[in-house]
Amino acid sequence: MITYAERKRWEAQASLPAERGEIFDRLGSPIAINVPSYRLVAIYRLGDKQDPKQTVIDFKRTAQELAPVIGMESKELETYLIENKDRAQVEFGKKGNDLTLDQKKKIDALKLPGIRLIEEPKRYYPNGVFLSDTLGFVQKLTDDVGRIRLEGQMGIEKQYDEAMQESYGARFFEKDVAGGQLVQGGQGITKEPQDGTDLYLTIDHRIQQALEMEMQKMYKEYKPKNATAVVMDAKTGDILAMTDRPSFDPNKRNMKDFTNFAVSSRFEPGSTMKIFTLAAAIDAGVFEGSKTYKSGSYNYKGTVIKDHNYVGWGTIPMIEGVWRSSNVMFSILTAEQLGIDRYKEYYKKFHFDQRTGIDISGEVNSQSDLSKSLNAVITSWGQSTAVTPMQLLQAATAIAGDGEMVKPHIIKKADHVDKAPYKAETTVVGKPISAEAAKATRDALDGVVNGKKGTGQMYKLDDYRVIGKTGTAQISENGKYIEGKFIHSFLGMAPKDDPELIMYIAVDRPKKLESSSSGPVIMSPVFKSVMNTALQYRSIKPDTQEDSVDLEAKVTPSYIGETAGAAKELAEKNDAVPLVLGDGVQVVSQIPARGQEFVSGERVMLKTASTFKMPDLTGWSQRDVKKLVSLYDLKLDVIGKGFVTKQSARAGTIVKENGKLTVELAEPKE
């Protein structure tokens, strides 16, 4: 009988690889993916022997052929090889790390003795500067057994690192005297490898790209110290796009600053805070729009509060005070009509005293002291208290809807490998005002953007009715306000009567065109372009004219709820190629989603049941395969590039949700 020690002498263990979970947007477009990279090694000897076929001996030839592929001078490389010839093997530093598949193919074709390529994982961010301050990045680390692994360092990559981490498998095998595997020896898997969790964000890559482009143009021209912008679904709390400036490319990590300003930075919001003071007064039944007051200045217990133009506009109705963003009107409204105690109650109802709890790390809370009545009055029009952009956005959902406030979130779903998949749901976190008060607040804000006396006229869109509030806040440092420096902001939503989207933008201390009134000039081009694009992508009907959308752009309608036959017929009329999946009666889900642009002849996937017969995927593009995979939450493995030539599940096979699919792709032959 073989003893345990003797058996272990002839057994060895090898790792079975797995992959870190990847990150996608709401439509399945990749945001952070794994790609192979290669590390270059030169072998000088095996054991204590040199082998002309397996080790580097001809330094000159090796250097001449290898140098152009890795971007080195051949003489420099030859010198490096010679200097290290007494070692068993040598690596090539930065020039020999993170080599691409194309470089690997070129090196393999050279067939240079002793030149080896070791495959390693690499994280790739295909969009470059894209959600970077929220997304973060990973770096390569070597574990205690010498394996290279990717570990999140910042943002979502760090926050959800544990979930996305892969788990290597293991297998044992019998070895020969040299340590190699015996061909006829026993072997077996002792631990199955397990890929990490894939994350799907609420981000819409089309809106995100539009926001990145417009914010970069603004940042390049006006050079603010910081800037942030967020687009959110008013009804669900889905974060559709968010970005900061300065930003960085996570592939290059060219960071000047790493602060997610929307959640990690608090500042005095300025007049955007007036939205919620107005809503509180309307809900409490104390706001009378036609009632007049004297603008210009207001003495509150010895402190004189002035309007932003210092002189006011004479005696005007309170509704005009809303449109003109009168600090005096809001001070009177808070101190004399709503009352300090009741104002503080509404402040808490809008959750300005607590974090939103958004699923992004680093969120800070507001900073306020409402124990002093003067601070409460000043807070009502946007100074004295510091809040985060995310707190403002969450509070704005109550204005946009029926008074219910929904929690913002950025994780849409997660394909957990060890438990049931996670899917986000809309979470109502409070109802600070009634539905009637919300509607009346929207009506009152209309004149800010769409009236001749409003401060937000530059944010007006041609095809959608925008409402919102401008903000200009002084900046406090060391207990004093900085003279002539401001944080400019705008909190807007559209369409006015039933807002679908809320957008917030803030610009901190622009170096060009800085003044207390320059905010709309700086920010309105960003807001208008992005909001208009986002509304069109989501097929929101224009308020003013139905033919205003570019007629050449095809936008996917909603097929959900239609019978399979009716949906198929409608898709064909829209010049799409419908594929009905499952034997259900009605369409329950679709890709492309409602509002997404498509081109004539593009496939539209129509899901009717949780199981379906696998179609013949031959000739399909990887994009179409990913549509199918996303619709049924399948785990996809892709081999090669080009179009599908083979598939693991044969055509006609019944496939269930959360199953697996492997496809082999190849470039078409000319």
Side-chain angles (χ1 to χ4, degrees), residues 263-465:
V263 297
S264 301
S265 180
R266 56 177 171 244
F267 47 84
E268 297 179 16
S271 295
T272 55
M273 197 70 170
K274 293 172 180 173
I275 294 174
F276 311 104
T277 305
L278 173 65
I282 290 174
D283 188 69
V286 299
F287 179 73
E288 297 180 59
S290 59
K291 185 177 180 180
T292 59
Y293 76 102
K294 186 158 189 326
S295 65
S297 63
Y298 174 65
N299 189 316
Y300 180 75
K301 296 184 177 181
T303 297
V304 177
I305 295 168
K306 292 182 177 292
D307 280 320
H308 57 80
N309 66 352
Y310 297 103
V311 296
W313 307 271
T315 299
I316 58 174
M318 298 192 86
I319 188 63
E320 188 175 331
V322 173
W323 302 338
R324 293 190 182 277
S325 197
S326 169
N327 297 338
V328 169
M329 193 284 289
F330 279 93
S331 296
I332 294 170
L333 186 63
T334 301
E336 299 181 12
Q337 297 172 16
L338 185 60
I340 301 300
D341 289 340
R342 194 155 48 174
Y343 173 76
K344 290 192 287 188
E345 289 175 8
Y346 277 102
Y347 179 89
K348 291 182 178 180
K349 284 183 179 181
F350 278 111
H351 287 196
F352 285 121
D353 63 332
Q354 58 188 271
R355 295 176 179 88
T356 67
I358 188 172
D359 44 3
I360 297 174
S361 61
E363 184 180 22
V364 299
N365 198 3
S366 59
Q367 195 170 55
S368 63
D369 178 10
L370 302 187
S371 62
K372 299 176 182 178
S373 60
L374 176 61
N375 284 351
V377 171
I378 296 174
T379 294
S380 75
W381 45 265
Q383 298 275 182
S384 177
T385 289
V387 300
T388 68
M390 202 55 64
Q391 287 175 314
L392 291 168
L393 282 158
Q394 177 177 267
T397 62
I399 311 301
D402 59 1
E404 289 185 338
M405 192 164 60
V406 298
K407 181 179 177 179
H409 62 276
I410 199 167
I411 304 298
K412 183 175 178 62
K413 63 178 181 176
D415 294 338
H416 287 297
V417 293
D418 57 349
K419 55 185 176 181
Y422 164 80
K423 290 189 177 181
E425 296 181 354
T426 300
T427 303
V428 176
V429 293
K431 189 170 183 179
I433 58 174
S434 68
E436 293 76 19
K439 181 182 182 305
T441 303
R442 295 196 299 269
D443 289 341
L445 292 173
D446 191 30
V448 174
V449 176
N450 302 297
K452 294 181 180 180
K453 299 175 181 179
T455 58
Q457 295 176 56
M458 293 185 72
Y459 294 94
K460 184 177 181 180
L461 294 179
D462 292 335
D463 300 325
Y464 299 96
R465 200 165 188 87

Side-chain angles (χ1 to χ4, degrees), residues 393-611:
L393 282 158
Q394 177 177 267
T397 62
I399 311 301
D402 59 1
E404 289 185 338
M405 192 164 60
V406 298
K407 181 179 177 179
H409 62 276
I410 199 167
I411 304 298
K412 183 175 178 62
K413 63 178 181 176
D415 294 338
H416 287 297
V417 293
D418 57 349
K419 55 185 176 181
Y422 164 80
K423 290 189 177 181
E425 296 181 354
T426 300
T427 303
V428 176
V429 293
K431 189 170 183 179
I433 58 174
S434 68
E436 293 76 19
K439 181 182 182 305
T441 303
R442 295 196 299 269
D443 289 341
L445 292 173
D446 191 30
V448 174
V449 176
N450 302 297
K452 294 181 180 180
K453 299 175 181 179
T455 58
Q457 295 176 56
M458 293 185 72
Y459 294 94
K460 184 177 181 180
L461 294 179
D462 292 335
D463 300 325
Y464 299 96
R465 200 165 188 87
V466 172
I467 58 171
K469 189 74 194 70
T470 54
T472 304
Q474 290 180 283
I475 301 164
S476 176
E477 283 188 359
N478 302 318
K480 294 182 179 180
Y481 286 116
I482 305 173
E483 187 68 29
K485 300 294 181 181
F486 305 93
I487 294 178
H488 307 274
S489 60
F490 182 69
L491 179 58
M493 57 189 76
K496 176 237 171 188
D497 290 330
D498 186 17
E500 294 268 354
L501 300 177
I502 303 171
M503 181 173 173
Y504 179 82
I505 178 171
V507 174
D508 179 4
R509 284 167 275 187
K511 291 183 180 178
K512 178 182 175 183
L513 204 68
E514 173 66 309
S515 75
S516 61
S517 60
S518 61
V521 176
I522 296 170
M523 298 182 300
S524 63
V526 180
F527 177 88
K528 291 170 68 175
S529 177
V530 175
M531 179 62 89
N532 199 60
T533 296
L535 289 166
Q536 290 188 19
Y537 275 146
R538 293 169 72 84
S539 293
I540 309 302
K541 185 178 178 181
D543 290 313
T544 54
Q545 48 186 352
E546 294 186 7
D547 61 350
S548 58
V549 179
D550 181 4
L551 297 178
E552 293 182 1
K554 293 182 179 295
V555 179
T556 306
S558 174
Y559 299 103
I560 296 173
E562 300 282 354
T563 64
K568 184 177 180 181
E569 184 177 342
L570 178 59
E572 289 172 346
K573 286 182 179 179
N574 287 329
D575 296 326
V577 177
L579 178 63
V580 177
L581 298 161
D583 55 4
V585 176
Q586 291 182 320
V587 175
V588 296
S589 187
Q590 68 181 70
I591 291 181
R594 176 177 73 94
Q596 186 175 352
E597 287 189 356
F598 72 98
V599 296
S600 296
E602 185 174 338
R603 286 188 179 90
V604 56
M605 313 287 177
L606 304 171
K607 179 179 179 180
T608 66
S610 59
T611 62

